[in-house]
Amino acid sequence: MEIPELPPYDHHPRPYIGPSFEEVMELRKRYLTPALLTYYNNPIMIVEGSMQYVYDEKGRRYLDAFAGIVTISVGHCHPYVLAKAREQLETLQHTTTIYLHPTVAEYGKMLSEKLPGDLGVCYFVNSGSEANDLALLMARLYTGNYDIIALRNAFHGGIASAMGLTAHSTWKYNYPHSFGVHHAIAPDPYRGPWSHDDPEAGAKYAADIKNLIDFATPGRVAGFFAESIQGVGGVIVYPDGFFANVYKYIREAGGLCIADEVQTGFGRTGTHYWGFETQGVVPDIVTMAKGIGNGAPLAAVVTTPDIAQVLAQRIHFNTFGGNPVSCAMGKAVLEVIDRENLNRTAWRWGVISWKPCKSSCPNTR
Ligand SMILES: Cc1ncc(COP(=O)(O)O)c(C=O)c1O
């Protein structure tokens, strides 16, 4: 296969002086869990990154279309994010939320202002799985119900509770983890029973959820969990009206609607800042991770003041949640997305690579 040539780029990777590829491979095989996977027959060792590019130990440059599994939202080692991280690292690395710190407080305000409706209270954690675990807890405590509706083909993380929400055998170990979770038909307009040419597809997929509520639960549910576009499951964009109908059924059954924005948040869809906006709904809880920190171990659960109050029944504590370095990076990411209009950039690339997007881009013209 002919290897395409990359355009010129003014960055010279540092000479690599660490252990060789073979040594790293040996160390990894000997000391890291065998559950790890690598891509490609000949895996790549990545030792440096600069914006959209990464470099291997030999200084070869690659276009990082995967962006660290959808995490590098504004570019590898983006100079502004780097400057803010460095400034914070050199000042104070960690305390915990037991003490006041300006960055986490300011960041909470900035992030809340990005969300619609009453969504305005943030809990910071370290990963998407943890954010989903916390959202699950909040939904169950707030509603007093236990049953959860999720979707087949969903991915919500690898910790036990998130594995229960996930619906791919690839990521589900053979041990009890899904108690109380019911998985509805994936609203997949390509492979599912109702396709793009059926204007009622969204309502029909939603009807399966109503059916699940009526027949597989006590008729009352704690909530509905869904990625706003299924990411790991193959970028499944739901038919119009799906969320609007589901949210109605869930709320009628006493439940909360939870949007997993781990992959779709922070302008990645191009048309909107949040993926759920493409379906014209406002969730009760939003979970976010990955692109939130451009590589910082940062994630968040954002909800309404009323729902947030439920956790105040006990102490909720998370050692690294709200860490000043992660929050400084999170803040910088929000600023860069706005300043560089990355939402619009994502939309422009969407138009080039996926024509149907052209007709529905309200926010970015
Ligand atoms: C939609 C979605 N939710 C949750 C997660 C879990 O996030 P983390 O790996 O940070 O725990 C992922 C990770 O890929 C994801 O894609």
Side-chain angles (χ1 to χ4, degrees), residues 96-257:
T96 88
T97 45
I98 288 172
Y99 308 102
L100 298 188
H101 190 276
T103 310
V104 60
E106 286 168 357
Y107 179 46
K109 177 173 186 287
M110 276 176 77
L111 187 58
S112 297
E113 284 170 357
K114 292 285 176 202
L115 284 137
D118 290 341
L119 292 165
V121 179
C122 306
Y123 285 80
F124 294 112
V125 290
N126 310 293
S127 69
S129 302
E130 233 188 318
N132 283 332
D133 180 67
L134 190 59
L136 188 66
L137 173 68
M138 290 165 86
R140 284 178 168 158
L141 290 178
Y142 183 78
T143 61
N145 300 330
Y146 193 75
D147 291 71
I148 293 280
I149 309 290
L151 298 175
R152 292 184 207 157
N153 197 41
F155 186 83
H156 294 290
I159 60 175
S161 58
M163 200 191 298
L165 296 169
T166 291
H168 286 269
S169 56
T170 337
W171 283 281
K172 281 167 101 67
Y173 287 92
N174 190 12
Y175 98 121
H177 53 248
S178 305
F179 191 64
V181 180
H182 310 272
H183 288 102
I185 299 176
D188 180 342
Y190 288 101
R191 297 166 200 85
W194 302 289
S195 64
H196 277 298
D197 50 20
D198 181 347
E200 295 303 315
K204 288 177 179 169
Y205 285 109
D208 178 56
I209 289 184
K210 171 77 176 116
N211 193 271
L212 260 186
I213 296 171
D214 290 345
F215 291 93
T217 77
R220 305 293 292 164
V221 297
F224 167 66
F225 254 90
E227 297 154 90
S228 297
I229 291 173
Q230 289 184 331
V232 170
V235 192
I236 306 304
V237 180
Y238 312 138
D240 286 348
F242 175 63
F243 271 1
N245 281 290
V246 175
Y247 277 28
K248 183 170 133 312
Y249 296 140
I250 294 290
R251 286 172 175 152
E252 281 169 4
L256 300 182
C257 300

